[in-house]
Amino acid sequence: MTGNDAYRRAWHLAEAGRHADAESVLRAALATDPADARLLTLLGYVLRRRFDYVSALAACDAAVAARPGHAEAHAERAESLLCLLRDADAIAAANEVVRLAPQDPSGHLVLARALASDRRLTEARAAADRGRSLAPQSVDGLLTVADVARVTGRRDAAEQAAKDALAIDPENAYGRWLLAMIDAERLRVGRSMRALRDVAAENPSRPDVVSMTWPIRSLLSALRTWFAVAIALVATATLAGVWWHLATTGGRILAALFAAVIAGFALRVLVPAGGLPWRCLRLSPGLLRRAAHGGMVTVGAQVALLIGYAVTGLWWLPVLALAAVPVLWGFGLAELLGARMDDPGYLHALKDLGRDFRDWGDELRQWWRDTKRELRETWHDDNPDSTPPRSGPAPR
């Protein structure tokens, strides 16, 4: 089988979702010609689809080394770097694609995704618009525009671009997922959950259980921000009641009002979602699951404390609710970490960060050893007839 035959066969296998078979075909062909940049680039794509991002990047690096002017190799390398959360390197690789092939929309689109990931949103929007202008009917282009618009808070534009993409390719799983998440941000709970359930049913080997827990996570996220402010207001009114009796009455009214609003918001989000988010939470990474449960218990306790204060007027109840706010934030941080624990790229980035900290610690310890040695040598040079002080008991 020639290199071109192997490429075509592997491409068809990858398109059919048979990524393991595609990898086997590519590796067999590369055993004959290990410097074929096209085969290496396609291998990088296949490995990325199999979530082996480190090996995908290695294949792309080999493709770039074999053929530095191959724009597709740089584009696929940028995609692998994005998956590994190396945004700055991904931007550099994407810029190289744009330099080598300025009329190729894929370069502008991957650049837009890299810039958006790095929160350079104005540049990301410009790159996405440029890529879409080069291929107005490209599904990838429309979904990239939708992604960037969603990140920048332009939900109307994001929704329209996602719908335009699905009008061209109605079965596109990512487009349907993206539209479902836009619905989630607009609290169209039932429609969002139905779409996510359908996408998961069509991808049973890797269902996105984390996304389907969004009603629980969104509720907790909203409460971490404004509920903390609400509790602080009640606690402030309670303390002001020491000097002004009417402040206590106002605080009790506020406590009852906030408790009612929270209960209503929870019902507005959780009831239309049904039991699916809770079932998916049981399947989610352990840290996310425990943090979500801890957050819900903490919120429930805070609401109970506010209701108790509204009924009894005991000053220490809102103070306890306020003291639980850092606990709620701690669970929120754990939830953010846990939500990415099934992402191989995120885990690899955490390992890299841990390795950087270890290296930094080793460098610090080496610096301290070198500094002590230099100080001793300097002391000897300045005091040639003296002996340095010793530890332990002095000689008799």
Side-chain angles (χ1 to χ4, degrees):
M1 185 183 297
T2 66
N4 287 335
D5 293 337
Y7 184 93
R8 285 192 295 270
R9 176 166 172 73
W11 176 255
H12 289 310
L13 288 169
E15 285 289 287
R18 297 170 57 185
H19 298 111
D21 294 335
E23 181 183 353
S24 298
V25 171
L26 289 167
R27 291 198 183 280
L30 285 167
T32 303
D33 187 3
D36 189 315
R38 291 179 71 236
L39 294 177
L40 287 167
T41 302
L42 184 55
L43 178 62
Y45 168 79
V46 168
L47 291 170
R48 178 167 62 86
R49 298 291 293 179
R50 299 192 71 188
F51 308 102
D52 188 356
Y53 301 137
V54 175
S55 299
L57 179 59
C60 294
D61 286 341
V64 169
R67 189 175 162 190
H70 189 41
E72 289 183 15
H74 290 281
E76 186 55 44
R77 183 171 182 271
E79 297 283 9
S80 297
L81 289 166
L82 266 178
C83 292
L84 291 167
L85 308 185
R86 292 171 54 182
D87 297 337
D89 293 333
I91 291 171
N95 275 319
E96 186 65 12
V97 182
V98 172
R99 185 187 70 82
L100 291 169
Q103 298 305 311
D104 185 352
S106 63
H108 298 278
L109 296 177
V110 69
L111 177 60
R113 290 191 289 272
L115 290 167
S117 182
D118 201 40
R119 308 303 297 178
R120 292 164 58 177
L121 302 180
T122 301
E123 297 171 77
R125 183 177 175 183
D129 290 341
R130 174 59 177 162
R132 183 182 179 183
S133 69
L134 292 170
Q137 297 302 308
S138 166
V139 172
D140 186 32
L142 288 165
L143 292 178
T144 299
V145 169
D147 264 329
V148 173
R150 179 185 173 219
V151 170
T152 55
R154 297 162 52 243
R155 293 196 182 99
D156 288 338
E159 184 175 3
Q160 187 58 54
K163 286 181 176 177
D164 290 344
L166 290 174
I168 299 170
D169 182 8
E171 300 304 317
N172 187 282
Y174 182 73
R176 292 159 63 198
W177 175 88
L178 182 59
L179 194 57
M181 297 313 296
I182 295 170
D183 284 337
E185 292 166 2
R186 290 181 157 173
L187 291 184
R188 298 168 181 164
V189 182
R191 188 163 77 179
S192 173
M193 294 306 299
R194 284 192 298 272
L196 289 173
R197 183 188 59 208
D198 292 343
V199 171
E202 294 172 10
N203 297 273
S205 62
R206 193 176 174 87
D208 190 356
V209 294
V210 172
S211 291
M212 287 186 283
T213 63
W214 77 259
I216 301 169
R217 297 172 56 221
S218 294
L219 175 63
L220 291 173
S221 177
L223 294 179
R224 280 193 295 271
T225 53
W226 67 264
F227 190 29
V229 176
I231 294 174
L233 286 174
V234 174
T236 301
T238 303
L239 294 176
V242 175
W243 300 279
W244 186 33
H245 180 68
L246 289 178
T248 300
T249 303
R252 294 174 68 178
I253 294 172
L254 283 176
L257 178 63
F258 288 142
V261 169
I262 291 164
F265 183 59
L267 292 173
R268 167 70 179 84
V269 174
L270 296 179
V271 170
L276 182 60
W278 301 101
R279 292 195 297 272
C280 291
L281 187 63
R282 291 197 295 268
L283 302 173
S284 63
L287 181 60
L288 169 61
R289 182 175 62 255
R290 288 189 290 271
H293 286 150
M296 294 296 287
V297 170
T298 304
V299 169
Q302 289 173 310
V303 171
L305 289 169
L306 290 186
I307 294 174
Y309 175 65
V311 173
T312 66
L314 295 174
W315 65 269
W316 51 269
L317 293 174
V319 173
L320 279 180
L322 186 63
V325 168
V327 177
L328 186 60
W329 287 345
F331 280 128
L333 177 61
E335 180 196 316
L336 289 174
L337 292 173
R340 302 292 296 273
M341 283 302 177
D342 62 345
D343 183 344
Y346 185 76
L347 292 176
H348 189 268
L350 284 181
K351 291 177 182 178
D352 282 346
L353 184 62
R355 191 179 304 114
D356 289 341
F357 274 114
R358 287 195 298 273
D359 292 343
W360 179 80
D362 292 341
E363 291 173 2
L364 183 62
R365 286 190 290 272
Q366 184 61 45
W367 171 83
W368 179 239
R369 287 194 291 267
D370 293 343
T371 300
K372 289 194 297 183
R373 186 184 67 252
E374 291 171 1
L375 288 173
R376 286 195 298 267
E377 292 173 353
T378 302
W379 193 88
H380 278 303
D381 291 340
D382 293 340
N383 303 274
D385 298 328
S386 302
T387 57
R390 297 187 302 173
S391 61
R396 296 180 180 179

